[in-house]
Amino acid sequence: MVVLMSQTSSISGASDTQVPDPRRWLTLATVALAQLMVVLDATVVNIALPAAQKDLDFTNGERQWIVTAYSLAFGSLLLLGGRMSDLIGRKRAFIIGLIGFAAASALGGAAQSFGMLVGARALQGVFGALLAPTALSVLTTTFTIPKERARAFGVFGAIAGAGGAIGLLLGGFLTQDLSWRWNLYINVVIAIIAVIGATIFVHTPKRQGARPKLDVPGTLLVSAALFSLVYGFSNAESDGWNSPLTWGFLGGAGVLLIGFVIWQRAASHPLLPLHIVVNRNRGASYASVTIAGAGMFGIFLFLTYYIEEILRFDPIKTGVSFLPMIGMLVLAAQLSTNVFLPRFGPKIMVPFGMTLATVGMFLLTRLSVDSTYAGNILPALLVLGFAMGSIMPASIQTATLGVDREHAGVASAMVNTSQQVGGSIGTALLNTIAATALTSYLTAHAPTSHTAAAIAQATANAAVHSYTTAYWFGAAFFAFGAILSALLFRRRGHGGSHVAAPGQETHHAQHSAAEPAEPAEPVIAH
Protein backbone atom coordinates (compact mmCIF):
# COMPACT_ATOMS: atom_id res chain seq x y z
CA MET A 1 0.00 0.00 0.00
CA VAL A 2 1.32 3.41 -0.97
CA VAL A 3 1.44 5.97 1.82
CA LEU A 4 2.09 9.65 1.11
CA MET A 5 3.88 11.60 3.86
CA SER A 6 4.58 15.30 3.48
CA GLN A 7 7.89 16.69 4.57
CA THR A 8 6.15 19.95 5.48
CA SER A 9 4.69 19.41 8.91
CA SER A 10 2.15 22.23 8.76
CA ILE A 11 0.58 20.74 5.66
CA SER A 12 0.54 17.14 6.80
CA GLY A 13 -0.85 18.23 10.11
CA ALA A 14 -3.63 20.17 8.50
CA SER A 15 -4.52 17.21 6.35
CA ASP A 16 -4.73 14.92 9.31
CA THR A 17 -7.19 17.14 11.15
CA GLN A 18 -9.61 17.45 8.26
CA VAL A 19 -12.63 15.16 8.44
CA PRO A 20 -13.64 13.85 5.00
CA ASP A 21 -17.21 14.49 3.88
CA PRO A 22 -19.08 11.17 4.35
CA ARG A 23 -21.14 11.93 1.22
CA ARG A 24 -18.12 12.67 -0.95
CA TRP A 25 -18.54 9.70 -3.35
CA LEU A 26 -22.18 10.59 -3.97
CA THR A 27 -21.00 14.17 -4.52
CA LEU A 28 -18.57 12.82 -7.11
CA ALA A 29 -21.40 11.01 -8.91
CA THR A 30 -23.43 14.23 -9.00
CA VAL A 31 -20.53 16.34 -10.23
CA ALA A 32 -19.59 13.72 -12.82
CA LEU A 33 -23.14 13.74 -14.16
CA ALA A 34 -23.11 17.52 -14.53
CA GLN A 35 -19.70 17.46 -16.22
CA LEU A 36 -20.87 14.75 -18.60
CA MET A 37 -23.87 16.87 -19.57
CA VAL A 38 -21.68 19.86 -20.45
CA VAL A 39 -19.14 17.78 -22.38
CA LEU A 40 -21.80 15.76 -24.20
CA ASP A 41 -23.64 18.85 -25.35
CA ALA A 42 -21.04 19.97 -27.87
CA THR A 43 -20.90 16.63 -29.67
CA VAL A 44 -24.58 15.68 -29.66
CA VAL A 45 -25.55 19.08 -31.05
CA ASN A 46 -23.05 18.66 -33.88
CA ILE A 47 -24.63 15.31 -34.75
CA ALA A 48 -28.10 16.95 -34.68
CA LEU A 49 -27.16 19.90 -36.92
CA PRO A 50 -28.07 18.43 -40.34
CA ALA A 51 -31.52 17.38 -39.14
CA ALA A 52 -32.08 20.71 -37.36
CA GLN A 53 -31.03 22.61 -40.49
CA LYS A 54 -33.52 20.71 -42.60
CA ASP A 55 -36.32 21.18 -40.06
CA LEU A 56 -35.77 24.92 -39.39
CA ASP A 57 -34.59 25.73 -42.93
CA PHE A 58 -31.43 27.73 -42.29
CA THR A 59 -28.44 28.02 -44.62
CA ASN A 60 -24.99 26.44 -44.45
CA GLY A 61 -23.55 29.87 -43.70
CA GLU A 62 -25.90 30.29 -40.74
CA ARG A 63 -25.27 26.78 -39.45
CA GLN A 64 -21.96 27.65 -37.80
CA TRP A 65 -23.75 30.01 -35.39
CA ILE A 66 -25.43 27.07 -33.66
CA VAL A 67 -21.96 26.08 -32.48
CA THR A 68 -20.37 29.53 -32.32
CA ALA A 69 -23.12 31.09 -30.16
CA TYR A 70 -22.46 28.52 -27.47
CA SER A 71 -18.67 28.67 -27.64
CA LEU A 72 -18.60 32.48 -27.54
CA ALA A 73 -20.78 32.71 -24.43
CA PHE A 74 -19.12 29.74 -22.74
CA GLY A 75 -15.54 30.70 -23.50
CA SER A 76 -15.83 34.39 -22.66
CA LEU A 77 -17.64 33.91 -19.32
CA LEU A 78 -15.74 30.95 -17.84
CA LEU A 79 -13.51 32.96 -15.51
CA LEU A 80 -16.48 35.01 -14.35
CA GLY A 81 -18.44 31.80 -13.76
CA GLY A 82 -15.61 30.34 -11.72
CA ARG A 83 -15.31 33.50 -9.64
CA MET A 84 -19.08 33.62 -9.07
CA SER A 85 -18.93 30.17 -7.52
CA ASP A 86 -16.33 31.53 -5.08
CA LEU A 87 -18.53 34.54 -4.29
CA ILE A 88 -22.03 33.07 -3.93
CA GLY A 89 -21.09 29.57 -2.77
CA ARG A 90 -20.37 26.49 -4.83
CA LYS A 91 -23.56 24.58 -4.03
CA ARG A 92 -25.77 27.53 -4.93
CA ALA A 93 -23.81 28.25 -8.12
CA PHE A 94 -23.88 24.56 -9.06
CA ILE A 95 -27.67 24.30 -8.74
CA ILE A 96 -28.25 27.61 -10.56
CA GLY A 97 -26.00 26.41 -13.38
CA LEU A 98 -27.87 23.11 -13.66
CA ILE A 99 -31.32 24.69 -13.71
CA GLY A 100 -30.27 27.41 -16.16
CA PHE A 101 -28.57 24.92 -18.50
CA ALA A 102 -31.64 22.67 -18.44
CA ALA A 103 -34.01 25.59 -19.15
CA ALA A 104 -31.86 26.77 -22.06
CA SER A 105 -31.73 23.21 -23.43
CA ALA A 106 -35.52 22.90 -23.24
CA LEU A 107 -35.85 26.23 -25.07
CA GLY A 108 -33.51 25.02 -27.80
CA GLY A 109 -35.31 21.70 -28.14
CA ALA A 110 -38.61 23.54 -28.63
CA ALA A 111 -37.11 26.09 -31.06
CA GLN A 112 -39.33 26.95 -34.02
CA SER A 113 -36.86 29.26 -35.74
CA PHE A 114 -33.15 29.66 -36.37
CA GLY A 115 -32.95 32.75 -34.14
CA MET A 116 -34.63 30.98 -31.24
CA LEU A 117 -32.19 28.07 -31.49
CA VAL A 118 -29.17 30.39 -31.61
CA GLY A 119 -30.45 32.32 -28.58
CA ALA A 120 -30.97 29.09 -26.64
CA ARG A 121 -27.46 27.94 -27.48
CA ALA A 122 -25.99 31.23 -26.28
CA LEU A 123 -27.98 30.89 -23.05
CA GLN A 124 -26.62 27.35 -22.66
CA GLY A 125 -23.14 28.81 -22.94
CA VAL A 126 -23.84 31.36 -20.20
CA PHE A 127 -24.99 28.77 -17.68
CA GLY A 128 -22.39 26.25 -18.86
CA ALA A 129 -19.72 28.83 -17.99
CA LEU A 130 -21.07 28.86 -14.42
CA LEU A 131 -21.64 25.10 -14.18
CA ALA A 132 -18.38 23.67 -15.58
CA PRO A 133 -15.86 25.41 -13.28
CA THR A 134 -18.17 25.08 -10.30
CA ALA A 135 -18.37 21.31 -10.80
CA LEU A 136 -14.58 21.02 -10.77
CA SER A 137 -14.19 23.33 -7.76
CA VAL A 138 -16.75 21.27 -5.81
CA LEU A 139 -14.58 18.25 -6.49
CA THR A 140 -11.42 20.16 -5.54
CA THR A 141 -12.76 21.18 -2.13
CA THR A 142 -14.58 17.93 -1.36
CA PHE A 143 -11.70 15.47 -1.78
CA THR A 144 -8.79 16.38 0.49
CA ILE A 145 -7.23 12.93 1.08
CA PRO A 146 -4.58 12.43 -1.63
CA LYS A 147 -5.44 8.84 -2.54
CA GLU A 148 -9.18 9.53 -2.73
CA ARG A 149 -8.54 12.77 -4.58
CA ALA A 150 -6.62 10.79 -7.19
CA ARG A 151 -9.54 8.41 -7.71
CA ALA A 152 -12.03 11.27 -7.96
CA PHE A 153 -9.97 13.17 -10.48
CA GLY A 154 -9.42 9.97 -12.42
CA VAL A 155 -13.18 9.71 -12.91
CA PHE A 156 -13.50 13.43 -13.71
CA GLY A 157 -10.60 13.35 -16.16
CA ALA A 158 -11.99 10.27 -17.89
CA ILE A 159 -15.31 12.02 -18.40
CA ALA A 160 -13.60 15.17 -19.68
CA GLY A 161 -11.65 13.11 -22.20
CA ALA A 162 -14.31 10.58 -23.22
CA GLY A 163 -17.41 12.77 -23.17
CA GLY A 164 -17.03 13.78 -26.80
CA ALA A 165 -16.92 10.17 -27.99
CA ILE A 166 -19.90 9.24 -25.79
CA GLY A 167 -21.74 12.18 -27.35
CA LEU A 168 -21.20 10.72 -30.82
CA LEU A 169 -22.89 7.50 -29.74
CA LEU A 170 -25.76 9.18 -27.90
CA GLY A 171 -26.25 11.83 -30.60
CA GLY A 172 -26.40 9.20 -33.33
CA PHE A 173 -29.01 7.20 -31.44
CA LEU A 174 -31.19 10.20 -30.55
CA THR A 175 -31.06 11.72 -34.03
CA GLN A 176 -31.66 8.48 -35.89
CA ASP A 177 -34.31 6.90 -33.67
CA LEU A 178 -36.04 9.89 -32.05
CA SER A 179 -35.51 13.50 -33.16
CA TRP A 180 -32.72 16.07 -33.27
CA ARG A 181 -34.64 17.94 -30.55
CA TRP A 182 -33.91 15.15 -28.08
CA ASN A 183 -30.22 16.00 -28.31
CA LEU A 184 -31.21 19.08 -26.29
CA TYR A 185 -34.09 17.65 -24.26
CA ILE A 186 -31.80 14.95 -22.85
CA ASN A 187 -30.03 17.66 -20.85
CA VAL A 188 -33.25 18.34 -18.94
CA VAL A 189 -33.41 14.72 -17.79
CA ILE A 190 -29.76 14.70 -16.73
CA ALA A 191 -30.06 18.07 -14.97
CA ILE A 192 -33.10 17.01 -12.92
CA ILE A 193 -31.17 14.02 -11.55
CA ALA A 194 -28.11 16.19 -10.88
CA VAL A 195 -30.15 18.90 -9.09
CA ILE A 196 -31.64 16.28 -6.76
CA GLY A 197 -28.18 14.89 -6.09
CA ALA A 198 -26.70 18.36 -5.52
CA THR A 199 -29.47 19.31 -3.09
CA ILE A 200 -28.86 16.21 -0.99
CA PHE A 201 -25.15 15.46 -1.31
CA VAL A 202 -23.17 18.59 -2.21
CA HIS A 203 -21.85 20.36 0.88
CA THR A 204 -20.43 23.87 0.95
CA PRO A 205 -18.14 24.67 3.92
CA LYS A 206 -18.87 27.81 5.87
CA ARG A 207 -17.00 30.85 4.61
CA GLN A 208 -14.17 32.01 6.82
CA GLY A 209 -13.40 35.71 6.78
CA ALA A 210 -14.95 38.49 4.74
CA ARG A 211 -16.75 37.78 1.48
CA PRO A 212 -14.42 38.57 -1.45
CA LYS A 213 -15.40 41.31 -3.89
CA LEU A 214 -15.91 40.95 -7.62
CA ASP A 215 -13.20 42.50 -9.77
CA VAL A 216 -15.46 44.31 -12.28
CA PRO A 217 -12.72 45.88 -14.48
CA GLY A 218 -10.84 42.59 -14.60
CA THR A 219 -14.04 40.71 -15.45
CA LEU A 220 -14.83 43.08 -18.34
CA LEU A 221 -11.26 42.91 -19.68
CA VAL A 222 -10.91 39.13 -19.62
CA SER A 223 -14.46 38.46 -20.85
CA ALA A 224 -13.90 40.78 -23.82
CA ALA A 225 -10.48 39.21 -24.44
CA LEU A 226 -11.81 35.64 -24.42
CA PHE A 227 -14.79 36.64 -26.58
CA SER A 228 -12.43 38.19 -29.12
CA LEU A 229 -10.13 35.18 -29.02
CA VAL A 230 -12.88 32.61 -29.58
CA TYR A 231 -14.61 34.77 -32.21
CA GLY A 232 -11.34 35.37 -34.02
CA PHE A 233 -10.64 31.66 -34.35
CA SER A 234 -14.27 30.93 -35.26
CA ASN A 235 -14.11 33.59 -37.98
CA ALA A 236 -10.87 32.08 -39.28
CA GLU A 237 -12.70 28.78 -39.67
CA SER A 238 -15.54 30.32 -41.70
CA ASP A 239 -13.97 33.31 -43.51
CA GLY A 240 -10.31 32.32 -43.61
CA TRP A 241 -7.12 33.74 -42.13
CA ASN A 242 -7.03 36.67 -44.54
CA SER A 243 -10.23 38.17 -43.15
CA PRO A 244 -9.76 41.54 -41.38
CA LEU A 245 -12.26 40.36 -38.75
CA THR A 246 -10.07 37.36 -37.94
CA TRP A 247 -6.91 39.34 -37.28
CA GLY A 248 -8.80 42.29 -35.84
CA PHE A 249 -10.38 40.18 -33.13
CA LEU A 250 -7.26 38.11 -32.48
CA GLY A 251 -5.15 41.28 -32.20
CA GLY A 252 -7.76 42.85 -29.93
CA ALA A 253 -7.71 39.73 -27.75
CA GLY A 254 -3.96 40.09 -27.33
CA VAL A 255 -4.23 43.73 -26.29
CA LEU A 256 -7.07 43.01 -23.88
CA LEU A 257 -5.21 40.08 -22.30
CA ILE A 258 -2.14 42.27 -21.72
CA GLY A 259 -4.39 44.90 -20.13
CA PHE A 260 -5.99 42.20 -17.97
CA VAL A 261 -2.61 40.97 -16.67
CA ILE A 262 -1.50 44.53 -15.89
CA TRP A 263 -4.73 45.18 -14.00
CA GLN A 264 -4.50 41.90 -12.06
CA ARG A 265 -1.09 42.93 -10.75
CA ALA A 266 -2.56 46.15 -9.35
CA ALA A 267 -6.09 45.08 -8.30
CA SER A 268 -6.79 44.67 -4.59
CA HIS A 269 -9.31 41.87 -5.31
CA PRO A 270 -8.10 40.33 -8.60
CA LEU A 271 -10.43 38.10 -10.59
CA LEU A 272 -7.54 35.72 -11.32
CA PRO A 273 -4.73 36.02 -8.77
CA LEU A 274 -1.60 35.66 -10.87
CA HIS A 275 0.07 33.24 -8.46
CA ILE A 276 -2.42 30.62 -9.66
CA VAL A 277 -1.14 30.83 -13.24
CA VAL A 278 2.57 31.56 -12.74
CA ASN A 279 2.97 28.52 -10.51
CA ARG A 280 5.02 26.29 -12.82
CA ASN A 281 3.06 23.09 -12.32
CA ARG A 282 -0.30 24.79 -12.76
CA GLY A 283 0.90 26.77 -15.75
CA ALA A 284 2.20 23.54 -17.32
CA SER A 285 -1.13 21.87 -16.60
CA TYR A 286 -3.14 24.63 -18.26
CA ALA A 287 -0.83 24.54 -21.29
CA SER A 288 -1.17 20.75 -21.50
CA VAL A 289 -4.97 20.92 -21.39
CA THR A 290 -4.93 23.57 -24.15
CA ILE A 291 -2.69 21.47 -26.42
CA ALA A 292 -4.65 18.28 -25.74
CA GLY A 293 -7.90 20.12 -26.56
CA ALA A 294 -6.48 21.35 -29.86
CA GLY A 295 -5.15 17.92 -30.80
CA MET A 296 -8.25 15.97 -29.77
CA PHE A 297 -10.40 18.04 -32.12
CA GLY A 298 -8.83 16.32 -35.12
CA ILE A 299 -9.54 12.88 -33.69
CA PHE A 300 -13.26 13.38 -33.28
CA LEU A 301 -14.09 15.63 -36.24
CA PHE A 302 -12.03 14.20 -39.07
CA LEU A 303 -12.21 10.58 -37.95
CA THR A 304 -16.00 10.90 -37.74
CA TYR A 305 -16.05 12.19 -41.32
CA TYR A 306 -13.80 9.36 -42.43
CA ILE A 307 -15.85 6.64 -40.77
CA GLU A 308 -19.17 7.98 -42.11
CA GLU A 309 -18.10 9.10 -45.60
CA ILE A 310 -15.41 6.56 -46.51
CA LEU A 311 -16.40 3.48 -44.48
CA ARG A 312 -20.13 4.32 -44.84
CA PHE A 313 -21.02 3.69 -41.18
CA ASP A 314 -24.41 5.00 -40.00
CA PRO A 315 -24.50 7.49 -37.06
CA ILE A 316 -25.07 4.83 -34.39
CA LYS A 317 -22.37 2.53 -35.74
CA THR A 318 -20.02 5.52 -35.91
CA GLY A 319 -20.63 6.25 -32.25
CA VAL A 320 -20.09 2.60 -31.30
CA SER A 321 -16.78 2.60 -33.16
CA PHE A 322 -15.39 5.06 -30.60
CA LEU A 323 -16.27 2.88 -27.60
CA PRO A 324 -12.90 1.07 -27.49
CA MET A 325 -11.20 4.43 -27.17
CA ILE A 326 -13.50 5.33 -24.27
CA GLY A 327 -12.78 2.03 -22.52
CA MET A 328 -9.03 2.48 -22.89
CA LEU A 329 -9.27 6.10 -21.70
CA VAL A 330 -11.16 5.11 -18.54
CA LEU A 331 -8.65 2.33 -17.82
CA ALA A 332 -5.69 4.65 -18.33
CA ALA A 333 -7.26 7.39 -16.21
CA GLN A 334 -7.65 5.05 -13.25
CA LEU A 335 -4.15 3.61 -13.61
CA SER A 336 -2.66 7.06 -14.02
CA THR A 337 -4.26 8.71 -11.01
CA ASN A 338 -4.13 5.76 -8.62
CA VAL A 339 -0.82 4.13 -9.54
CA PHE A 340 1.43 6.11 -11.86
CA LEU A 341 0.84 9.77 -10.95
CA PRO A 342 1.59 9.34 -7.20
CA ARG A 343 4.72 7.40 -8.11
CA PHE A 344 6.11 9.36 -11.07
CA GLY A 345 4.41 12.78 -10.92
CA PRO A 346 3.06 14.89 -13.80
CA LYS A 347 6.53 15.53 -15.24
CA ILE A 348 6.60 11.90 -16.39
CA MET A 349 2.91 11.17 -16.93
CA VAL A 350 1.90 14.15 -19.07
CA PRO A 351 4.86 13.98 -21.52
CA PHE A 352 4.33 10.21 -21.70
CA GLY A 353 0.68 10.75 -22.64
CA MET A 354 1.60 13.44 -25.19
CA THR A 355 4.18 11.14 -26.79
CA LEU A 356 1.68 8.30 -26.95
CA ALA A 357 -0.88 10.63 -28.54
CA THR A 358 1.72 11.60 -31.15
CA VAL A 359 2.10 7.91 -32.01
CA GLY A 360 -1.69 7.51 -32.22
CA MET A 361 -2.04 10.47 -34.56
CA PHE A 362 0.81 9.09 -36.68
CA LEU A 363 -1.11 5.82 -37.05
CA LEU A 364 -4.10 7.79 -38.36
CA THR A 365 -1.94 9.43 -41.04
CA ARG A 366 -1.60 5.96 -42.62
CA LEU A 367 -5.31 5.79 -43.48
CA SER A 368 -6.36 5.44 -47.10
CA VAL A 369 -9.64 4.87 -48.94
CA ASP A 370 -9.00 1.12 -48.64
CA SER A 371 -8.29 1.05 -44.88
CA THR A 372 -10.47 -0.95 -42.50
CA TYR A 373 -11.78 -0.19 -39.04
CA ALA A 374 -10.31 -3.25 -37.30
CA GLY A 375 -6.95 -3.17 -39.04
CA ASN A 376 -6.22 0.56 -39.17
CA ILE A 377 -8.55 2.67 -37.01
CA LEU A 378 -8.97 0.48 -33.90
CA PRO A 379 -5.24 0.33 -33.01
CA ALA A 380 -4.98 4.12 -33.27
CA LEU A 381 -8.06 4.63 -31.10
CA LEU A 382 -6.68 2.33 -28.39
CA VAL A 383 -3.37 4.20 -28.33
CA LEU A 384 -5.09 7.59 -28.27
CA GLY A 385 -7.47 6.49 -25.52
CA PHE A 386 -4.59 5.47 -23.27
CA ALA A 387 -2.79 8.70 -24.13
CA MET A 388 -5.70 10.96 -23.19
CA GLY A 389 -6.26 8.95 -20.01
CA SER A 390 -2.67 9.75 -19.08
CA ILE A 391 -2.80 13.47 -19.99
CA MET A 392 -6.15 14.78 -18.80
CA PRO A 393 -6.55 13.45 -15.22
CA ALA A 394 -2.92 14.28 -14.35
CA SER A 395 -3.21 17.79 -15.79
CA ILE A 396 -6.58 18.56 -14.21
CA GLN A 397 -5.55 17.26 -10.79
CA THR A 398 -2.27 19.17 -10.82
CA ALA A 399 -3.97 22.36 -12.05
CA THR A 400 -6.20 22.51 -8.98
CA LEU A 401 -3.90 21.00 -6.35
CA GLY A 402 -3.08 23.17 -3.35
CA VAL A 403 -5.28 26.12 -4.40
CA ASP A 404 -6.77 28.13 -1.55
CA ARG A 405 -10.51 27.46 -1.11
CA GLU A 406 -11.49 31.03 -1.94
CA HIS A 407 -9.77 30.71 -5.33
CA ALA A 408 -10.84 27.13 -6.17
CA GLY A 409 -13.58 28.30 -8.53
CA VAL A 410 -11.44 30.56 -10.68
CA ALA A 411 -8.57 28.04 -10.72
CA SER A 412 -11.02 25.40 -11.94
CA ALA A 413 -12.36 27.84 -14.53
CA MET A 414 -8.86 28.15 -15.96
CA VAL A 415 -8.95 24.41 -16.76
CA ASN A 416 -12.17 24.82 -18.73
CA THR A 417 -10.90 28.01 -20.36
CA SER A 418 -7.74 26.21 -21.48
CA GLN A 419 -9.77 23.38 -22.98
CA GLN A 420 -12.16 25.80 -24.72
CA VAL A 421 -9.36 27.91 -26.18
CA GLY A 422 -7.55 24.75 -27.29
CA GLY A 423 -10.68 23.51 -29.03
CA SER A 424 -11.15 26.86 -30.78
CA ILE A 425 -7.54 26.87 -31.96
CA GLY A 426 -7.81 23.28 -33.15
CA THR A 427 -11.09 23.97 -34.96
CA ALA A 428 -9.71 26.96 -36.85
CA LEU A 429 -6.26 25.62 -37.66
CA LEU A 430 -7.11 22.04 -38.56
CA ASN A 431 -10.20 22.96 -40.59
CA THR A 432 -8.22 25.52 -42.55
CA ILE A 433 -5.35 23.09 -43.09
CA ALA A 434 -7.71 20.32 -44.20
CA ALA A 435 -9.61 22.60 -46.59
CA THR A 436 -6.37 23.83 -48.17
CA ALA A 437 -5.08 20.27 -48.55
CA LEU A 438 -8.36 19.19 -50.16
CA THR A 439 -8.22 21.98 -52.75
CA SER A 440 -4.54 21.40 -53.51
CA TYR A 441 -5.08 17.67 -53.99
CA LEU A 442 -8.02 18.12 -56.36
CA THR A 443 -6.03 20.64 -58.38
CA ALA A 444 -3.03 18.33 -58.69
CA HIS A 445 -5.01 15.12 -59.18
CA ALA A 446 -7.94 16.13 -61.35
CA PRO A 447 -9.76 13.04 -62.68
CA THR A 448 -8.93 12.22 -66.30
CA SER A 449 -12.46 10.95 -66.81
CA HIS A 450 -15.59 12.93 -66.02
CA THR A 451 -17.69 9.93 -65.18
CA ALA A 452 -19.52 9.90 -61.87
CA ALA A 453 -17.37 7.03 -60.59
CA ALA A 454 -14.09 8.79 -61.43
CA ILE A 455 -15.23 12.04 -59.81
CA ALA A 456 -16.41 10.18 -56.69
CA GLN A 457 -13.07 8.35 -56.43
CA ALA A 458 -11.07 11.57 -56.80
CA THR A 459 -13.24 13.30 -54.22
CA ALA A 460 -12.79 10.42 -51.75
CA ASN A 461 -9.02 10.42 -52.27
CA ALA A 462 -8.90 14.19 -51.74
CA ALA A 463 -10.98 13.94 -48.57
CA VAL A 464 -8.73 11.25 -47.07
CA HIS A 465 -5.66 13.30 -48.02
CA SER A 466 -7.12 16.33 -46.22
CA TYR A 467 -7.84 14.25 -43.11
CA THR A 468 -4.36 12.73 -42.97
CA THR A 469 -2.81 16.17 -43.43
CA ALA A 470 -4.79 17.36 -40.41
CA TYR A 471 -3.59 14.29 -38.46
CA TRP A 472 0.03 15.21 -39.21
CA PHE A 473 -0.56 18.62 -37.67
CA GLY A 474 -2.40 17.01 -34.75
CA ALA A 475 0.66 14.83 -34.22
CA ALA A 476 2.79 17.98 -34.27
CA PHE A 477 0.55 19.55 -31.58
CA PHE A 478 1.06 16.57 -29.31
CA ALA A 479 4.80 16.35 -30.01
CA PHE A 480 5.12 20.02 -29.06
CA GLY A 481 3.06 19.30 -25.95
CA ALA A 482 5.41 16.46 -24.97
CA ILE A 483 8.44 18.74 -25.17
CA LEU A 484 6.77 21.69 -23.45
CA SER A 485 5.33 19.66 -20.57
CA ALA A 486 8.66 17.89 -20.03
CA LEU A 487 10.38 21.27 -19.74
CA LEU A 488 7.75 23.05 -17.62
CA PHE A 489 6.67 20.51 -15.01
CA ARG A 490 8.92 20.46 -11.97
CA ARG A 491 11.15 17.49 -11.22
CA ARG A 492 10.45 15.21 -8.29
CA GLY A 493 11.87 16.80 -5.17
CA HIS A 494 11.36 20.32 -6.57
CA GLY A 495 7.68 20.81 -5.89
CA GLY A 496 6.69 18.48 -8.69
CA SER A 497 3.85 16.86 -6.77
CA HIS A 498 2.64 17.75 -3.34
CA VAL A 499 -0.26 16.58 -1.30
CA ALA A 500 -1.56 19.79 0.20
CA ALA A 501 -5.32 19.77 0.36
CA PRO A 502 -7.29 22.67 -1.05
CA GLY A 503 -7.18 25.61 1.26
CA GLN A 504 -3.67 24.84 2.51
CA GLU A 505 -1.61 26.84 0.03
CA THR A 506 1.03 28.88 1.81
CA HIS A 507 -0.25 32.37 2.46
CA HIS A 508 3.00 34.15 1.79
CA ALA A 509 2.88 32.76 -1.75
CA GLN A 510 -0.61 33.98 -2.52
CA HIS A 511 0.30 37.62 -2.92
CA SER A 512 3.67 37.24 -4.55
CA ALA A 513 4.13 38.45 -8.10
CA ALA A 514 6.91 35.91 -8.56
CA GLU A 515 6.42 32.16 -8.64
CA PRO A 516 5.15 31.11 -5.23
CA ALA A 517 6.97 28.85 -2.87
CA GLU A 518 5.53 25.37 -2.86
CA PRO A 519 5.33 22.60 -0.31
CA ALA A 520 8.12 20.07 -0.35
CA GLU A 521 7.87 16.92 -2.40
CA PRO A 522 6.01 14.13 -0.59
CA VAL A 523 7.93 11.01 0.27
CA ILE A 524 6.45 7.82 -1.15
CA ALA A 525 6.80 4.88 1.19
CA HIS A 526 5.55 1.33 0.96
Side-chain angles (χ1 to χ4, degrees), residues 153 157-158 161 284-293 295-296 299 329 332-333 336-337 341 346 348-358 383-399 477-479 481-482 485 489:
F153 274 83
S285 298
Y286 296 139
S288 298
V289 170
T290 302
I291 293 168
M296 279 295 291
I299 299 172
L329 193 154
S336 173
T337 53
L341 185 61
I348 300 296
M349 290 309 303
V350 176
F352 166 76
M354 292 284 186
T355 303
L356 208 57
T358 304
V383 172
L384 287 165
F386 202 93
M388 296 309 297
S390 302
I391 296 169
M392 294 302 290
S395 297
I396 293 174
Q397 182 176 350
T398 306
F477 287 168
F478 283 118
S485 57
F489 278 111

Side-chain angles (χ1 to χ4, degrees), residues 230-250:
V230 174
Y231 186 85
F233 282 119
S234 298
N235 196 75
E237 179 190 1
S238 58
D239 296 344
W241 290 96
N242 294 326
S243 169
L245 278 178
T246 297
W247 290 109
F249 273 95
L250 290 178

Side-chain angles (χ1 to χ4, degrees), residues 48-60 63 180-181:
L49 265 180
Q53 183 177 357
K54 183 178 180 180
D55 190 14
L56 300 181
D57 193 27
F58 51 86
T59 67
N60 288 337
R63 182 174 60 187
W180 68 267
R181 298 180 184 276

Side-chain angles (χ1 to χ4, degrees), residues 395-456:
S395 297
I396 293 174
Q397 182 176 350
T398 306
T400 56
L401 188 63
V403 178
D404 190 85
R405 284 187 184 276
E406 69 179 61
H407 298 141
V410 73
S412 301
M414 273 299 299
V415 175
N416 298 101
T417 302
S418 300
Q419 196 168 18
Q420 177 67 26
V421 170
S424 297
I425 293 172
T427 301
L429 287 180
L430 295 180
N431 254 341
T432 303
I433 290 166
T436 303
L438 178 71
T439 303
S440 299
Y441 187 93
L442 287 174
T443 302
H445 301 83
T448 55
S449 171
H450 294 288
T451 63
I455 293 174

Side-chain angles (χ1 to χ4, degrees), residues 227-508:
F227 179 93
S228 298
L229 190 66
V230 174
Y231 186 85
F233 282 119
S234 298
N235 196 75
E237 179 190 1
S238 58
D239 296 344
W241 290 96
N242 294 326
S243 169
L245 278 178
T246 297
W247 290 109
F249 273 95
L250 290 178
V255 173
L256 289 167
L257 284 173
I258 292 172
F260 172 70
V261 171
I262 293 173
W263 173 254
Q264 293 307 281
R265 292 176 63 89
S268 55
H269 299 280
L271 176 70
L272 177 63
L274 294 182
H275 71 81
I276 291 176
V277 181
V278 300
N279 176 288
R280 262 183 62 176
N281 270 5
R282 288 191 206 113
S285 298
Y286 296 139
S288 298
V289 170
T290 302
I291 293 168
M296 279 295 291
F297 173 82
I299 299 172
F300 290 128
L301 179 68
F302 297 111
L303 195 54
T304 300
Y305 285 158
Y306 178 89
I307 291 172
E308 290 190 351
E309 294 179 359
I310 306 301
L311 299 186
R312 301 295 180 183
F313 285 17
D314 60 42
I316 293 180
K317 194 175 179 181
T318 299
V320 171
S321 68
F322 282 93
L323 289 180
M325 177 183 176
I326 297 173
M328 188 60 74
L329 193 154
V330 172
L331 173 64
Q334 295 307 310
L335 288 174
S336 173
T337 53
N338 293 305
V339 180
F340 300 133
L341 185 61
R343 184 175 297 272
F344 301 114
K347 189 173 181 66
I348 300 296
M349 290 309 303
V350 176
F352 166 76
M354 292 284 186
T355 303
L356 208 57
T358 304
V359 174
M361 295 297 279
F362 173 75
L363 292 176
L364 291 179
T365 65
R366 317 310 297 167
L367 294 180
S368 69
V369 292
D370 299 319
S371 297
T372 63
Y373 174 78
N376 304 100
I377 296 176
L378 181 59
L381 287 178
L382 294 175
V383 172
L384 287 165
F386 202 93
M388 296 309 297
S390 302
I391 296 169
M392 294 302 290
S395 297
I396 293 174
Q397 182 176 350
T398 306
T400 56
L401 188 63
V403 178
D404 190 85
R405 284 187 184 276
E406 69 179 61
H407 298 141
V410 73
S412 301
M414 273 299 299
V415 175
N416 298 101
T417 302
S418 300
Q419 196 168 18
Q420 177 67 26
V421 170
S424 297
I425 293 172
T427 301
L429 287 180
L430 295 180
N431 254 341
T432 303
I433 290 166
T436 303
L438 178 71
T439 303
S440 299
Y441 187 93
L442 287 174
T443 302
H445 301 83
T448 55
S449 171
H450 294 288
T451 63
I455 293 174
Q457 182 66 37
T459 302
N461 288 335
V464 172
H465 173 73
S466 71
Y467 304 155
T468 55
T469 302
Y471 295 142
W472 276 115
F473 278 86
F477 287 168
F478 283 118
F480 173 73
I483 297 171
L484 186 68
S485 57
L487 292 174
L488 288 184
F489 278 111
R490 286 178 173 270
R491 296 192 304 274
R492 306 286 291 181
H494 292 269
S497 174
H498 56 76
V499 297
Q504 296 167 358
E505 187 173 55
T506 51
H507 291 287
H508 70 275

